[in-house]
Amino acid sequence: MTRHEVIGGDRETAAERAPRGARRLRGLALDIDGTLTEGDYYPLILRALGMRDEAIAVFFRNLRGSEPPEMDYHRVRADLMRSWPDRERATRELMEGIFRYVPFRPEASRLVGHARALGWPICLITASMDVYARAIARRLGIGDWYSGCSARFDADGRLADIVFEPDPGQAKCRHLSAFCRRRGLTPGEVLVVGDSEHDLGLFAGTDNGVLVRRPGNEPLATYAWRTVDHLDEVIPLLPGGPGGPGSPDIPDSPGVPGLPDVPDPATGQ
């Protein structure tokens, strides 16, 4: 097993590894959904684009019925595209407008601001859609972002297709390598913050993985260097933490005017 493979059952755990001495950290890689935000963005856009609550619940139930890398993303894509009753509403403009209102965790901008004050390169690495990753990166002032899913639009700006990476975890590892090459870093110099099994390859490849706890991801803590409940707990892991200069907090919007509330991903309610 290579450093950039998703952690397997016979690999020693983070707790079993001899503790590393002084870590030379000088870069930050962040997941988005469940890490910088409280939850998934899919329910917001699916409902805003006209998908019924029942269809949203079925979509998420099917999505979670199989795990990577066995997940049939061709089926997921077909289900997603077929479930939109009004394709005229699925436009780049509407998606970008929605993503401007996806709420961050309240401490997300403090973490990004502290890393920026240190002069660290920062990137977003997500399995989510590229138009979403770009919007979140712009809001946080982050120049480097990588996504595992591409939205394709026609000449009129309407959604024509969605192309998924077949293995989001492996895609994230490739993206981390690209970020390191671009910024002159080694993987061991990058602090990685994530919340799902898709981030385990990044944890293994850097030995600097920080897991953000959420219901259901407790077993992943075995493979993380640190586990946290809030992003403010990550700041002390950076040089100069926990205080120090940072950018002002980015205020969250209560929602997009005229759009319904976001359903829970698990229930569709």
Side-chain angles (χ1 to χ4, degrees):
M1 178 171 290
T2 67
R3 285 172 55 98
H4 283 180
E5 288 182 40
V6 175
I7 297 173
D10 59 349
R11 188 186 190 276
E12 61 181 358
T13 67
E16 294 167 338
R17 292 196 298 271
R20 184 185 293 181
R23 291 172 185 260
R24 184 172 180 265
L25 299 174
R26 59 188 190 97
L28 180 64
L30 300 164
D31 174 51
I32 299 178
D33 290 322
T35 300
L36 293 177
T37 69
E38 294 286 355
D40 297 333
Y41 80 96
Y42 275 108
L44 176 63
I45 188 171
L46 295 181
R47 179 175 277 187
L49 293 175
M51 186 182 288
R52 298 185 304 274
D53 288 354
E54 297 83 0
I56 293 174
V58 169
F59 171 74
F60 275 94
R61 186 161 59 246
N62 291 341
L63 187 66
R64 290 167 176 159
S66 56
E67 295 296 332
E70 291 82 13
M71 184 181 289
D72 184 354
Y73 279 94
H74 293 293
R75 177 182 58 79
V76 172
R77 170 198 161 276
D79 289 347
L80 189 60
M81 299 296 289
R82 185 173 57 250
S83 298
W84 277 322
D86 184 359
R87 295 289 294 280
E88 293 296 319
R89 296 180 63 184
T91 65
R92 181 194 297 273
E93 182 180 8
L94 179 58
M95 288 183 180
E96 291 178 344
I98 293 169
F99 297 150
R100 286 198 295 269
Y101 291 89
V102 173
F104 298 124
R105 291 178 182 268
E107 67 274 20
S109 60
R110 289 194 291 272
L111 172 58
V112 171
H114 190 87
R116 183 180 292 120
L118 293 171
W120 280 20
I122 308 169
C123 75
L124 303 181
I125 302 181
T126 178
S128 300
M129 196 179 298
D130 54 353
V131 64
Y132 173 66
R134 182 186 300 111
I136 298 299
R138 285 175 176 170
R139 287 173 59 189
L140 288 170
I142 296 173
D144 294 323
W145 58 268
Y146 304 87
S147 70
C149 171
S150 298
R152 307 288 173 82
F153 298 90
D154 63 20
D156 295 321
R158 291 188 297 267
L159 183 67
D161 200 358
I162 299 176
V163 179
F164 290 91
E165 289 275 3
D167 186 333
Q170 287 296 316
K172 284 194 169 194
C173 291
R174 293 196 305 273
H175 296 154
L176 176 67
S177 295
F179 172 64
C180 288
R181 288 194 301 271
R182 174 174 168 78
R183 296 300 181 182
L185 300 166
T186 65
E189 294 175 316
V190 180
L191 185 68
V192 175
V193 187
D195 77 306
S196 79
E197 67 277 358
H198 297 323
D199 301 307
L200 293 186
L202 301 182
F203 290 4
T206 64
D207 282 336
N208 299 321
V210 177
L211 180 74
V212 179
R213 293 188 187 96
R214 59 172 171 76
N217 78 347
E218 293 85 356
L220 305 184
T222 302
Y223 306 111
W225 173 46
R226 292 285 191 273
T227 57
V228 300
D229 294 305
H230 306 284
L231 294 180
D232 278 341
E233 299 173 62
V234 181
I235 295 177
L237 304 178
L238 280 62
S247 62
D249 287 353
I250 300 172
D252 288 326
S253 167
V256 183
L259 291 181
D261 292 335
V262 183
D264 182 276
T267 65
Q269 300 179 354

